[in-house]
Amino acid sequence: MFNRLDAIEKRYNEIKEELLKPEVLNDFNYLKKLSKEESELKEIVEVYNEYKKVIDNLNQAKEMENDPDLKEIAQSEIAELSIKEAKLKEKIEILLVPKDENDGKNVIMEIRGAAGGDEANIFAGDLFRMYSYYAEENNWKIEVIHQVDGTSGGFAQIEFIIKGNDVYSKLKYESGSHRVQRVPATEASGRIHTSTSTVLVMPEVETSNIDIKESDIKMDVYHSSGAGGQSVNTANSAVRLTHIPTGIVVTCQTERSQLQNRERALNLLKIKINDAMRQKEEQELGMERKTKIGTGDRSEKIRTYNYPQNRVTDHRINFSVMNLDKVMDGDLQPIIDALQTEDLKLKLAGEKFE
């Protein structure tokens, strides 16, 4: 670990020297790249320097312990400094955990009603509302790309972008099957039903580097429906793109023109293809997506929302909260915190420092 820290400190000092050179200051792209790297290394170097000072002071205190007149003072300092050393070492280990390069990105989310007919669609609408409130609490913005309303409320499908700071770092654990247990509004006899809706979370990636052959894309146009301004139902502005080799389908109807909808749909198609390729590569390598707590597989049941007991349980980490009503109003943070903590524990357990 300390060899790695020394290398990081050396690199950090090299960057600081580079940033003072006139030729670097005149090269905007290189300057931006170096500044970003400096920012990423700064906290690790600062904590490491603090750790080294504590170690020096600890060694001095241990030498003082040999002096009978200073022994009591030295032992007190040793106890205090040992606690600091342990805390700083733990902090360094956390800082050295490889960061997910997508954590700071916006996300594309897709929610679909699955098993349970109308109730599944209604629950999909409830999940969208939950994420909307959570986004509002985090000062994020939501843009709906496409929606198919359920016949009794909610959504058969809704796709949207969430933009803001570190969105993916908090929502990346939400992919999977969400199960609801409650008495549906459509149930006359008062029986509790179990229904599911699926959630897919993808990081918004740079699409200019993703190439798709035009010959591999089938485009359909049709009348927009739902919210969308004066152009709704007046022209064939909505666009559906199908990627023939993979069968991936995307739809966009939120823009006023067919050209704008096609451009947005194409970007979304590239993101979905990129995500599918990433999943395939990781599966071929025998890797779990992300961590054991978040495979991103929509067939995986990740969470149950039990209305009669006012309970939400995340099955991946056996974590429950007894305030489902607040969770559905956007109070997701305790669950997100628990997932992030478990994620960190798994990463720390699997990390081998040299």
Side-chain angles (χ1 to χ4, degrees), residues 15-52:
I15 293 171
K16 290 185 74 69
E17 290 179 8
E18 281 281 296
L19 289 171
L20 296 175
K21 295 178 180 179
E23 61 268 28
V24 174
L25 295 173
N26 292 326
D27 187 337
F28 176 75
N29 290 330
Y30 187 49
L31 177 64
K32 183 179 178 182
K33 179 183 176 182
L34 283 181
S35 297
K36 181 182 178 183
E37 189 178 355
E38 180 199 26
S39 176
E40 291 171 349
L41 299 179
K42 184 178 180 181
E43 186 177 5
I44 297 176
V45 172
E46 288 178 346
V47 175
Y48 182 39
N49 286 333
E50 187 179 354
Y51 178 82
K52 286 190 290 186

Side-chain angles (χ1 to χ4, degrees), residues 125-136:
D126 293 338
L127 289 176
F128 175 69
R129 175 178 173 273
M130 176 184 76
Y131 291 124
S132 297
Y133 281 135
Y134 183 63
E136 187 177 335

Side-chain angles (χ1 to χ4, degrees), residues 12-13 20 58 67 144 179 342:
Y12 178 74
N13 291 329
L20 296 175
L58 187 58
D67 188 331
V144 175
R179 181 175 70 173
E342 184 64 21

Side-chain angles (χ1 to χ4, degrees), residues 289-340:
R289 291 195 67 203
K290 305 302 175 190
T291 66
K292 293 178 182 177
I293 62 172
T295 67
D297 184 351
R298 280 193 290 186
S299 65
E300 175 193 12
K301 181 187 71 179
I302 64 167
R303 194 175 297 153
T304 294
Y305 303 74
N306 187 302
Y307 276 73
Q309 297 178 16
N310 198 37
R311 185 186 75 238
V312 180
T313 299
D314 196 289
H315 303 289
R316 296 164 293 180
I317 56 174
N318 295 320
F319 179 82
S320 295
V321 292
M322 304 302 293
N323 61 343
L324 180 146
D325 51 338
K326 291 184 179 179
V327 170
M328 300 310 293
D329 284 338
D331 188 15
L332 260 178
Q333 198 56 51
I335 300 174
I336 300 296
D337 287 342
L339 288 162
Q340 288 181 322

Side-chain angles (χ1 to χ4, degrees), residues 99-124:
K99 291 180 174 59
D100 188 332
E101 62 181 13
N102 293 317
D103 275 352
K105 294 181 179 178
N106 301 327
V107 303
I108 310 292
M109 288 190 74
E110 175 188 290
I111 305 174
R112 293 174 179 262
D118 287 341
E119 169 64 1
N121 293 341
I122 292 170
F123 181 52

Side-chain angles (χ1 to χ4, degrees), residues 55-316:
I55 293 298
D56 287 342
N57 292 335
L58 187 58
N59 289 333
Q60 291 174 20
K62 287 178 179 178
E63 289 179 7
M64 288 168 54
E65 194 178 17
N66 296 323
D67 188 331
D69 296 332
L70 301 174
K71 185 174 182 179
E72 188 174 339
I73 296 173
Q75 287 177 339
S76 176
E77 286 191 15
I78 290 170
E80 183 179 339
L81 290 167
S82 295
I83 293 172
K84 284 185 179 179
E85 178 201 7
K87 288 182 177 179
L88 287 170
K89 188 174 182 181
E90 181 181 0
K91 188 172 183 178
I92 288 171
E93 289 176 344
I94 291 171
L95 288 171
L96 286 176
V97 170
K99 291 180 174 59
D100 188 332
E101 62 181 13
N102 293 317
D103 275 352
K105 294 181 179 178
N106 301 327
V107 303
I108 310 292
M109 288 190 74
E110 175 188 290
I111 305 174
R112 293 174 179 262
D118 287 341
E119 169 64 1
N121 293 341
I122 292 170
F123 181 52
D126 293 338
L127 289 176
F128 175 69
R129 175 178 173 273
M130 176 184 76
Y131 291 124
S132 297
Y133 281 135
Y134 183 63
E136 187 177 335
E137 287 183 5
N138 284 276
N139 295 313
W140 299 337
K141 292 185 178 180
I142 288 183
E143 295 180 13
V144 175
I145 303 169
H146 173 63
Q147 69 184 64
V148 179
D149 295 337
T151 54
S152 298
F155 304 103
Q157 177 185 353
I158 183 165
E159 292 178 272
F160 50 99
I161 301 173
I162 303 184
K163 297 182 177 181
N165 294 325
D166 300 320
V167 182
Y168 187 71
S169 69
K170 295 183 178 180
L171 293 180
K172 62 183 175 182
Y173 308 105
E174 296 302 297
S175 288
S177 179
H178 294 240
R179 181 175 70 173
V180 62
Q181 294 175 324
R182 65 184 177 188
V183 178
T186 54
E187 172 60 51
S189 64
R191 292 181 302 162
I192 295 174
H193 283 221
T194 298
S195 304
T196 60
S197 295
T198 60
V199 175
L200 177 63
V201 180
M202 296 170 288
E204 189 178 39
V205 296
E206 178 56 55
T207 58
S208 60
N209 297 324
I210 303 172
D211 293 324
I212 302 177
K213 294 180 181 178
E214 283 292 330
S215 58
D216 287 341
I217 300 174
K218 176 188 175 186
M219 184 174 87
D220 299 303
V221 295
Y222 56 95
H223 287 322
S224 297
S225 61
Q230 295 179 349
S231 63
V232 172
N233 292 327
T234 62
N236 289 331
S237 60
V239 171
R240 180 188 299 111
L241 299 181
T242 303
H243 186 241
I244 299 170
T246 62
I248 294 174
V249 179
V250 298
T251 306
C252 185
Q253 62 182 41
T254 55
E255 304 298 330
R256 288 183 175 274
S257 74
Q258 183 186 122
L259 183 63
Q260 289 173 319
N261 278 323
R262 187 187 187 282
E263 182 178 353
R264 190 163 217 184
L266 183 59
N267 283 334
L268 179 58
L269 182 63
K270 288 181 178 181
I271 289 170
K272 286 196 172 186
I273 291 172
N274 180 72
D275 190 68
M277 289 173 61
R278 187 162 54 95
Q279 289 186 51
K280 183 179 179 181
E281 287 174 2
E282 290 171 353
Q283 288 170 359
E284 288 175 350
L285 291 171
M287 296 166 59
E288 296 180 6
R289 291 195 67 203
K290 305 302 175 190
T291 66
K292 293 178 182 177
I293 62 172
T295 67
D297 184 351
R298 280 193 290 186
S299 65
E300 175 193 12
K301 181 187 71 179
I302 64 167
R303 194 175 297 153
T304 294
Y305 303 74
N306 187 302
Y307 276 73
Q309 297 178 16
N310 198 37
R311 185 186 75 238
V312 180
T313 299
D314 196 289
H315 303 289
R316 296 164 293 180

